Amino acid sequence: MEQWQRQSARQETGVEDDPRVEALRVAVARLRRELAGYPAELPDRGVAEEELAALDAMVSGGTPEVPRLRRSLLLIAGAVGSVSALSPTLTEVRKVIDLFGDMPRG
């Protein structure tokens, strides 16, 4: 999606005022860049890339749903969690997702 389209979508949904959404957008973009630049073969790289793309789409569309954020985080962590080079950036994504609040307990 073009930059101006994202800005327009954020304005329409009122997301532009939510710093959590912008922080998640930045953290996801950073992890996507670092994963793309990671030279080693990862068996689940595709899973991580798909979930990062899904996270990016969620934050572009408005305030995302916490259960969906956490599901994506688990899939990404499972795919790249053992890669120490990506650990700090993955931790950053997790911390930002935590800003959206806890899942309700049943």
Side-chain angles (χ1 to χ4, degrees), residues 22-77:
E22 185 59 29
L24 184 56
R25 180 177 292 108
V26 169
V28 166
R30 182 174 171 213
L31 184 54
R32 287 179 90 176
R33 282 191 310 272
E34 289 188 16
L35 180 60
Y38 188 73
E41 182 70 27
L42 297 174
D44 293 329
R45 181 186 294 262
V47 172
E49 290 171 344
E50 287 175 14
E51 286 305 314
L52 286 166
L55 281 174
D56 186 51
M58 279 188 264
V59 296
S60 294
T63 302
E65 297 176 14
V66 175
R68 181 66 178 104
L69 289 176
R70 296 210 184 274
R71 179 183 179 278
S72 290
L73 178 62
L74 285 173
L75 290 170
I76 294 165

